[in-house]
Amino acid sequence: MAGGQSRSSLNKPCILLIVIAGMERFAFKGVASNLVTYLTDVAKMSNSAAAKKVNNWCGITSMLPLLVAPLADSYLDRYTTVLASSSLYVAGLLALTSLALQWPWTNSADKSGFCSSLSWSLNLISLGQAGYNPSLQAFGADQFDDDEELPSSKNDQSSKKKSSFFQWWYFGICCGSLLGVSIMSYIQDTLGWGLGFAIPSIAMAISVIVFRFGNRFYTHKDGEIIHIKSLGDHIVKAVKAATSRLTCGEIVVPTYTNKSNVVEIELEDRPLCQQDSGSKDGADRKSENGINFVKILKVVLPLMPVWTLLLMFAVIFQQPATFFTKQGVTMKRNIGNNFRIPPAALQSSITISIILLMPLYDTFFIPFVRVFTRNEKGITVMQRMGIGMFLSVIAMIIAAVTERKRLDISRNLVTSSETVPMSIFWLLPQYILLGISDIFTVVGMQEFFYSEVPTNMRTLGIALYTSVFGCGSFFSSFLISVIENLTSTRGAKQNWFSDDMRKARFDNYYWFLALSSAASFLLFMVFCRFYRSRTITD
């Protein structure tokens, strides 16, 4: 159980879980941030194919929680879900590491077999993340001393604490992301992909061990402490119940109680389906929990306009790991005579800007804005998301102008060298501005989707937030395919995403994203004038 805490600070379990989340982000970013380079250099994919592969994988990774979250909320407590899904997560990372270690000694001509093994490894990571991330974040939000610590927001004090938790949670995962992007991209480019994937695997395994042995510090909302030996039994029972009982469109499973271990799988507050009385006698009454799809739809559908208008922000969110990185490959990256900056390492500037500027949000920005808004929080959640969306539009305009400058220089070169005499640090403004936009939009999204659902559906709320980026990844791949087809010349492979970076037109693509995002931002502003918080607590 969690100990006492200051009314104005996070408690020890929250801090521990933020550290664990940071370790997970180190592992994930250590793989994802430089994956496009691995696909083009090792798997020999084209720029567009590699970008679509990365986008699709990120899309699957972010969308799967939307399917797993209702099961986690209904049939498994969050602690159990984290432990079960983390085993799949680690297995996927180990499989990817094994593939990278074996590739130099296997038949390099067997490209189809390699791609198949790679897809299996990445999909296993996605499946593990589906239960791990939303459950871990919701479990972290559960660590306050009482259920009223994080309500939907009926008073300023609790609302400020909720905002503080999500802000520091994002700060923690940004610290992990920074280490994953900066350190692992250098190791992968210089020391090899085997070691570059092995270190994230080890880090993730350590985080799981730390989470397991930190159990005595956690607050379990229903009072249960689940022992590792009973983990498999709960999963088997939940799966059997979910597949064997269908009534009136609802999947129903009885609550399992083990008096000796004080283990009880139940929902917080009201279950997602109505409770059944087994008999008229209260002593014989047996409650049943399950997934009420009608209730889920009633909660989710009013949130879909906001969800939809955030998709273009999610598309922009994919650019640093794909086309921004490919831009950096062609630019001057030398520092001194011996050191070359890995192109993917520039993604660390996003997280550095977040880490440096996040503390300033509370200490300077909020007090300054509070003078004008007369709002205790400074700005509302909707206003916070809107500011970030606007900044992302500016970032893409800067990216388009910078890319145009790179193209002009490359086309004026006398030699056919792939390296343009233009420093990679020209890309820093677009990276930093995206980092600042993340402080507003991403943190606001987490708070919004967590707050606008009932307390017993908080895992689903977090999954809705991640699914924005999942659909954004798929939508990004779709846009690349459509634009690739529309801009291809007959009988040639030249298009906006040409493998020849002297002929590619990333600048046009960035202008397209800027205009599309500007339209989404304007619609978002109009919608915010009519939207009213639902403030659901049951």
Side-chain angles (χ1 to χ4, degrees):
M1 300 291 290
Q5 76 183 85
S6 168
R7 298 291 293 177
S8 60
S9 62
L10 300 178
N11 57 23
K12 291 180 180 178
C14 279
I15 295 173
L16 176 62
L17 291 170
I18 287 173
V19 171
I20 292 171
M23 296 176 70
E24 183 276 331
R25 282 295 91 182
F26 169 82
F28 181 76
K29 286 295 185 179
V31 172
S33 63
N34 208 22
L35 185 60
V36 68
T37 305
Y38 182 70
L39 295 177
T40 53
D41 292 356
V42 178
K44 304 301 180 183
M45 291 184 179
S46 65
N47 285 342
S48 60
K52 286 188 285 187
K53 179 75 173 179
V54 172
N55 286 335
N56 287 335
W57 176 57
C58 291
I60 292 172
T61 303
S62 299
M63 286 299 295
L64 276 177
L66 201 57
L67 302 178
V68 176
L71 299 175
D73 278 332
S74 299
Y75 301 129
L76 292 173
D77 61 276
R78 289 158 188 164
Y79 178 82
T80 306
T81 305
V82 171
L83 283 180
S85 56
S86 63
S87 61
L88 296 176
Y89 201 149
V90 173
L93 288 170
L94 291 175
L96 185 63
T97 302
S98 176
L99 182 64
L101 291 171
Q102 292 176 9
W103 176 247
W105 290 274
T106 58
N107 180 13
S108 58
D110 185 17
K111 186 176 179 179
S112 60
F114 171 81
C115 292
S116 177
S117 299
L118 178 64
S119 295
W120 275 106
S121 301
L122 294 176
N123 289 336
L124 200 57
I125 295 173
S126 299
L127 188 60
Q129 265 207 6
Y132 186 90
N133 278 345
S135 296
L136 184 68
Q137 188 168 7
F139 186 67
D142 289 343
Q143 298 309 302
F144 289 84
D145 287 338
D146 55 71
D147 288 336
E148 298 303 318
E149 201 74 45
L150 281 176
S152 290
S153 93
K154 287 190 176 182
N155 59 72
D156 290 336
Q157 183 66 23
S158 59
S159 183
K160 286 168 63 179
K161 288 187 176 182
K162 177 178 60 178
S163 296
S164 177
F165 168 75
F166 286 111
Q167 183 154 305
W168 285 107
W169 180 275
Y170 194 57
F171 180 85
I173 64 176
C174 283
C175 289
S177 298
L178 172 61
L179 294 176
V181 170
S182 57
I183 296 175
M184 297 318 306
S185 60
Y186 176 77
I187 291 176
Q188 289 159 359
D189 286 354
T190 57
L191 302 179
W193 293 98
L195 181 62
F197 289 152
I199 294 176
S201 303
I202 295 171
M204 184 62 198
I206 292 174
S207 73
V208 175
I209 295 172
V210 172
F211 176 80
R212 172 64 186 91
F213 286 98
N215 183 51
R216 63 193 181 93
F217 299 107
Y218 304 144
T219 295
H220 296 272
K221 286 299 182 181
D222 54 2
E224 87 280 15
I225 299 177
I226 297 182
H227 298 284
I228 195 68
K229 64 182 181 179
S230 62
L231 176 61
D233 293 338
H234 296 311
I235 297 173
V236 171
K237 288 178 181 179
V239 172
K240 286 183 178 179
T243 56
S244 63
R245 303 191 60 180
L246 288 169
T247 52
C248 299
E250 299 180 17
I251 304 175
V252 185
V253 60
T255 300
Y256 298 100
T257 304
N258 185 326
K259 293 182 179 179
S260 62
N261 291 331
V262 199
V263 178
E264 191 171 359
I265 299 179
E266 62 183 4
L267 293 176
E268 295 177 9
D269 302 334
R270 299 181 186 176
L272 298 185
C273 75
Q274 299 298 322
Q275 294 185 333
D276 248 348
S277 296
S279 66
K280 294 181 180 180
D281 188 357
D284 296 328
R285 186 174 298 166
K286 179 174 68 176
S287 65
E288 295 182 331
N289 297 333
I291 301 177
N292 186 323
F293 294 106
V294 175
K295 181 174 182 179
I296 290 175
L297 287 175
K298 288 181 178 179
V299 170
V300 170
L301 288 179
L303 303 179
M304 291 311 294
V306 174
W307 187 95
T308 303
L309 292 173
L310 287 167
L311 281 180
M312 284 310 303
F313 176 83
V315 172
I316 291 176
F317 196 82
Q318 303 302 318
Q319 304 314 306
T322 53
F323 294 128
F324 283 12
T325 298
K326 294 305 296 183
Q327 279 179 272
V329 172
T330 68
M331 304 173 79
K332 287 181 62 178
R333 299 181 279 128
N334 291 68
I335 297 181
N337 296 325
N338 300 319
F339 181 77
R340 298 187 74 198
I341 302 173
L346 220 61
Q347 295 174 46
S348 63
S349 59
I350 295 177
T351 49
I352 289 174
S353 62
I354 293 171
I355 291 169
L356 293 179
L357 297 176
M358 184 81 80
L360 301 180
Y361 181 87
D362 280 331
T363 56
F364 292 101
F365 180 77
I366 292 301
F368 175 76
V369 173
R370 191 182 293 143
V371 175
F372 302 97
T373 63
R374 296 182 181 180
N375 186 326
E376 184 64 24
K377 290 178 62 179
I379 54 176
T380 66
V381 174
M382 304 295 279
Q383 289 170 338
R384 182 169 188 166
M385 289 189 289
I387 291 173
M389 293 172 70
F390 174 76
L391 292 176
S392 69
V393 173
I394 303 301
M396 294 313 299
I397 293 174
I398 294 175
V401 173
T402 303
E403 173 61 8
R404 182 65 192 182
K405 180 178 179 63
R406 187 197 69 82
L407 282 173
D408 290 341
I409 294 175
S410 67
R411 289 170 180 172
N412 292 329
L413 290 177
V414 177
T415 63
S416 59
S417 173
E418 292 184 357
T419 302
V420 177
M422 178 180 178
S423 174
I424 193 173
F425 292 115
W426 276 91
L427 300 180
L428 275 180
Q430 63 204 55
Y431 278 101
I432 293 173
L433 206 53
L434 282 181
I436 299 173
S437 72
D438 281 5
I439 294 175
F440 289 91
T441 301
V442 176
V443 177
M445 288 168 64
Q446 292 177 357
E447 182 179 348
F448 175 80
F449 287 109
Y450 182 90
S451 302
E452 296 295 307
V453 299
T455 54
N456 64 322
M457 297 173 67
R458 291 281 165 79
T459 305
L460 178 62
I462 300 298
L464 278 172
Y465 145 70
T466 62
S467 69
V468 174
F469 295 98
C471 273
S473 297
F474 290 130
F475 191 45
S476 179
S477 294
F478 172 75
L479 289 177
I480 292 172
S481 297
V482 172
I483 293 174
E484 188 176 27
N485 289 330
L486 292 176
T487 60
S488 294
T489 57
R490 289 187 298 175
K493 295 184 178 180
Q494 303 303 325
N495 52 68
W496 283 7
F497 311 110
S498 173
D499 292 339
D500 186 348
M501 293 297 290
R502 300 178 67 176
K503 298 179 180 179
R505 294 304 307 268
F506 289 171
D507 58 327
N508 287 344
Y509 182 58
Y510 294 157
W511 278 116
F512 171 77
L513 293 182
L515 291 173
S516 301
S517 298
S520 294
F521 168 68
L522 293 175
L523 290 173
F524 182 83
M525 289 179 62
V526 173
F527 178 80
C528 287
R529 295 182 63 87
F530 303 98
Y531 185 81
R532 295 293 180 268
S533 176
R534 304 178 68 213
T535 315
I536 301 175
T537 57
D538 56 24

